[in-house]
Amino acid sequence: MSTAKNTTASRQVAKSVIEIWQWGGPCQLETFDPKPSAPHDYNNGLKSIKTNAGFEIHEWLPQLAKCADLYSVIRSMTHKFFGHEKATYLMQTGHVPGIEPITYPALGAIISSMKMKDYDGEIAPFVILTQAKGRFSEVGFLGDFYAPLVTGGNPNAKIFEVDGIVPPGGLTTEQINMRFEKALLFDHLRLPKHAAFDAAGEQARRIICGKAAETFDLSRESKETRERYGRTFFGQQLLAARRLVEYGVPYISINYNGWDSHKRHFETMKRPTAEMDQAVSALLLDLKERKLLDTTLVWMSGEFGRVPKVDRQPPWNGGRNHFPICYSALVAGGGFKGGQVVGESDETSDHVKERPVTPVEFLGSICELAGIDPEGRLPNPKGIELNVMPLPRGRDAGHGRLEEIYV
Amino acid sequence: MTIDMTRRGFIGGVTAFSLLGADAASKSRGPIKAVYEKGSRASDFLACRRLYLDICGRIPTPQEVEAYVASKKSSKYENLIDTLLDSEDYADYWSMRGCDMLRVKSEFPINLWPNAVYVYHRRIRDAIKADEPWPDFARALLCSRGSNFRVPESNFFRAAASRSPEGLSEAATMTFIMDPTPKYAKYFSRVAIKFTKEWKEEIVYLKDGPRDLVPEAFMDELEGPLRSQFVAAPVKRVHYWIYDSMPRPAALTDMTGAFTRGGCRLKPLLRHVFRSSAYRAGPVRGKFPPRRLDAEVLEDAICSITGATRDFTSIAPEPFSFLPPERKSVLVEDGSITSAFMLLFGRPARDTGALEERKNDITAKQRLYLYNSSKLWDDLGRITTDKAFRAKSHAAQVEELYMKFLSRSPVKDELAIIDPDGKAEIRNIAWHLLNSFEFLYRI
């Protein structure tokens, strides 16, 4: 794709990426691909609303409807893995699981490892708010050096106690410094390996006592700003993500739980959807106002969507099961146009009707806008020869990367 | 114990600040070193702590150290080795190492899946416990076929990143001669794996083919032309695990001799190593190599000292696994079930079985976590809220913390630094101990 490479060179590159990972698989119908005219068993009688960009999204997303010029939606995401683990692996790494004897790194590790050389912050270049994805966390064979900072803590608490960065128990910097002084003296046994031990300790101390810790101090934000995102765990995670973007962190991943709505889907999903609506719209508007949206790429999706036809039988009682055949994603900023819709599903969202987008093409687009050639080499400590993204082959290929919505 | 217990008399009039100069620190080193060694040999408490760490994968309780130090028996060191080698903790800890070597994990790139992980782990642990001879164990792994649920050994072939003949050759040579090569692929060309109707059951069997191209023939190679490498493999691993380096030729010869004389069993080899003067050397003059505690051992140490527990669960791949809350990290069978702590401290991924997969070096991220984790701070809080502990005097509390973390009593010069007026916050003292080199390393 020589044309793609030419445009990569001239385009402004996304400096940071915010990934909002909707663990469990959000339903495409109650988010960005509503089907108000489908039978009741598909939409439960719920409607859609028109956005300021002209297209329709679900009525549960009134705030996002007002700022659709800032983001685009893809309604034709597709793959064929129905289980969380394999689908997550594919949607995080771009690689089909279980074929090769190697665990590939997730997008966050790829982008942060490639951008590491231009980043001199003390916070790791790959930050995860607040819990890791577990076995996909997330570096694969790239190894520990590229491991993300997993913050832990609660960003909505009085103090966001980021594990290892913000001192627990409300200690002041002076108290912390005093502790360090004493700790150095306390370690009186100077054995081999002590130099490495001390060097690691000194580096850690600089992080705790420096700008890194301030970045996680959400109390430095105004009350209005905090409330704009919503005083929810998720809302404050996104606010923390914006502060990390300002600090310069290349990749921030938010692991957003609670989308695996097998049972009583409509009863359980209304509240998290409203919370997501407020927080994501606040983030996009805030980035725009701070003139950060052009250089910050935001993407939001899960490992798959949900079965369009509601399962009314016990034990599901109106639930939706896993569905990778057709689902949605949101992209914004960082070189993506706003206000666009990519692809189309059929009248019930059971199948992709137009312009299928596979995970590898989706992730490849993000790489490309972040200034990384998806077909280029991925340097790695094991010296394995491989590309940033695998080349889509045969049935895995959709219709290419998302060039139609590149700025 | 040879430790100065008169700290109370020392405290009066000394402030922390007067001791915070470098002079004071260097002066204090001389007498403190005496705590760790007699001549060039490790002192009693240290020898005891080392044996617990290296044989059982845990730090000794204060009672265990006290009993050992108080004992007047001349053979107490040798007796302790024998007792510990017979313990369940030994089987737990050394089967963890065995599972590292054999890549025991549910998924990616190995695909054993949960049920087979537990069956296979049990088999490996039984071999450690019974001290099965290495050639017998190797033969069982290479020459067993059948269901992954009912024939635990058949999982050897399933626990390879690639199940092609070349991949199996690499897995087998990695395991048995520590030199991965596809050269012996022909012996594995007939090994095949098929599904059954039972969920996630697989059968390892031999496809049709030449009679001499079977894994048994590779076993014959191991006992024939490859014999010296085959016997050296466990010896090298043991040396690496204990001394953090590959053995020099003389040490290899010496240890291999002990191993073969003992019938190629692990316990006689370990007994030989632990009794050696190299192992009994002190940390300073004796130059015994320090090693940062394994991720699992460190996590267990923190839990056992503070009374905290860890929740190990896994919901992918299915079936779900929920380990009991009192389960120690050393005994988490499945390499795919982990904790943020174990990832941070370098638990091996069990992808290849290579020794280097385990990372025991220290990083800034680890020290950040130890300095500053709210989780650890909460764990330390458990100590100070314990009723029996609160009933004790301040000095007794400090003594107990030292025994729990470092297996020894405090030295007065240290107390002058971290507890100068005898009133320092107990959780702060625990923090200092948790963050000390002496706690984090086996010295």
Side-chain angles (χ1 to χ4, degrees), chain B residues 173-209:
Chain B
T173 45
M174 178 74 222
T175 306
F176 298 114
I177 58 174
M178 288 178 78
D179 180 17
T181 164
K183 221 164 74 184
Y184 300 96
K186 61 179 178 183
Y187 296 127
F188 304 100
S189 57
R190 291 178 56 199
V191 176
I193 295 171
K194 64 185 174 191
F195 277 108
T196 73
K197 284 186 178 172
E198 176 74 32
W199 187 43
K200 293 191 173 174
E201 182 183 47
E202 288 184 341
I203 305 276
V204 177
Y205 68 103
L206 286 187
K207 292 182 289 198
D208 291 339

Side-chain angles (χ1 to χ4, degrees), chain A residues 93-120:
Chain A
T93 68
H95 287 265
V96 175
I99 292 184
E100 289 158 287
I102 172 172
T103 309
Y104 286 98
L107 184 67
I110 294 172
I111 290 184
S112 57
S113 74
M114 302 277 284
K115 283 182 172 278
M116 211 177 248
K117 58 182 188 309
D118 306 318
Y119 169 73
D120 59 359

Side-chain angles (χ1 to χ4, degrees), chain A residues 1-210:
Chain A
M1 283 210 178
S2 59
T3 50
K5 272 176 196 147
N6 291 339
T7 51
T8 307
S10 57
R11 193 185 299 115
Q12 187 172 23
V13 162
K15 288 185 188 142
S16 297
V17 176
I18 298 177
E19 166 196 322
I20 303 169
W21 180 253
Q22 293 173 291
W23 242 133
C27 183
Q28 64 279 18
L29 286 92
E30 277 77 53
T31 52
F32 301 108
D33 193 13
K35 298 291 175 188
S37 10
H40 189 272
D41 265 354
Y42 288 81
N43 57 31
N44 219 36
L46 294 167
K47 303 280 180 255
S48 60
I49 45 174
K50 194 163 187 159
T51 65
N52 65 342
F55 61 87
E56 309 234 321
I57 58 176
H58 195 261
E59 63 168 292
W60 283 353
L61 303 172
Q63 301 299 324
L64 279 167
K66 289 181 202 153
C67 58
D69 55 317
L70 301 184
Y71 62 87
S72 295
V73 301
I74 297 144
R75 289 175 173 165
S76 51
M77 295 294 301
T78 182
H79 65 77
K80 55 193 175 192
F81 294 95
F82 283 79
H84 292 294
E85 61 267 39
K86 289 192 170 180
T88 300
Y89 184 76
L90 175 61
M91 193 63 187
Q92 282 288 319
T93 68
H95 287 265
V96 175
I99 292 184
E100 289 158 287
I102 172 172
T103 309
Y104 286 98
L107 184 67
I110 294 172
I111 290 184
S112 57
S113 74
M114 302 277 284
K115 283 182 172 278
M116 211 177 248
K117 58 182 188 309
D118 306 318
Y119 169 73
D120 59 359
E122 274 174 336
I123 299 176
F126 180 13
V127 176
I128 291 185
L129 295 160
T130 58
Q131 298 298 327
K133 291 184 184 73
R135 72 188 51 203
F136 304 103
S137 60
E138 340 256 270
V139 288
F141 68 84
L142 285 183
D144 297 346
F145 184 69
Y146 301 96
L149 165 71
V150 181
T151 65
N154 175 2
N156 198 25
K158 188 151 173 267
I159 297 172
F160 180 16
E161 287 185 349
V162 175
D163 248 8
I165 290 190
V166 180
L171 284 181
T172 64
T173 312
E174 290 73 42
Q175 285 170 310
I176 280 282
N177 267 322
M178 190 65 203
R179 267 201 198 170
F180 287 141
E181 295 296 333
K182 289 190 180 189
L184 276 178
L185 287 180
F186 182 71
D187 264 326
H188 41 69
L189 202 62
R190 298 282 146 188
L191 299 179
K193 296 198 180 172
H194 219 123
F197 181 75
D198 287 343
E202 193 46 40
Q203 202 184 334
R205 174 182 175 167
R206 279 203 309 275
I207 295 174
I208 299 170
C209 300

Side-chain angles (χ1 to χ4, degrees), chain A residues 85 101-103 135 147 161 163-165 167-168 179-180 182 185-189 191-193 197 201 203-204 208, chain B residues 20 25 32 36 108-109 161 244 283 290 314 316-317 364-365 367-369 371-372 374 377 402 414 428 431-432 437 443:
Chain A
E85 61 267 39
I102 172 172
T103 309
R135 72 188 51 203
E161 287 185 349
D163 248 8
I165 290 190
R179 267 201 198 170
F180 287 141
K182 289 190 180 189
L185 287 180
F186 182 71
D187 264 326
H188 41 69
L189 202 62
L191 299 179
K193 296 198 180 172
F197 181 75
Q203 202 184 334
I208 299 170
Chain B
L20 284 179
I32 289 179
Y36 304 104
F108 298 135
D244 220 13
S314 165
K365 278 183 199 165
R367 295 218 60 192
L368 257 181
Y369 184 80
Y371 275 156
N372 232 359
S374 46
W377 188 244
Y402 263 79
E414 298 173 316
N428 230 342
W431 181 90
H432 277 285
F437 189 88
I443 61 171

Side-chain angles (χ1 to χ4, degrees), chain A residues 260-388:
Chain A
D260 197 15
S261 55
H262 285 282
K263 297 181 180 178
R264 305 179 72 245
H265 173 81
F266 295 96
E267 292 87 334
T268 52
M269 293 323 292
K270 190 167 180 185
R271 193 196 50 77
T273 308
E275 164 190 296
M276 182 270 277
D277 181 46
Q278 177 177 3
V280 175
S281 56
L283 173 70
L284 297 179
L285 288 163
D286 199 9
L287 287 172
K288 174 82 182 164
E289 287 158 18
R290 288 168 191 263
K291 303 201 170 12
L292 289 168
L293 192 57
D294 289 343
T295 53
T296 307
L297 192 157
V298 181
W299 71 276
M300 175 165 80
S301 189
E303 61 270 44
F304 37 51
R306 309 217 69 89
V307 175
K309 189 172 180 195
V310 176
D311 193 338
R312 305 273 179 206
Q313 300 304 312
W316 314 116
N317 301 322
R320 293 187 187 275
N321 293 316
H322 306 164
F323 195 65
I325 307 300
C326 179
Y327 63 104
S328 302
L330 173 149
V331 292
F336 278 120
K337 285 183 199 163
Q340 309 293 310
V341 175
V342 176
E344 197 183 326
S345 59
D346 64 9
E347 57 278 10
T348 52
S349 173
D350 273 302
H351 294 95
V352 171
K353 193 163 138 195
E354 250 177 43
R355 212 281 184 222
V357 179
T358 62
V360 66
E361 292 161 341
F362 179 78
L363 300 179
S365 307
I366 296 168
C367 288
E368 199 163 34
L369 293 186
I372 297 160
D373 180 1
E375 290 163 31
R377 283 275 185 249
L378 176 63
N380 61 80
K382 297 202 178 169
I384 305 168
E385 270 200 25
L386 74 142
N387 293 345
V388 168

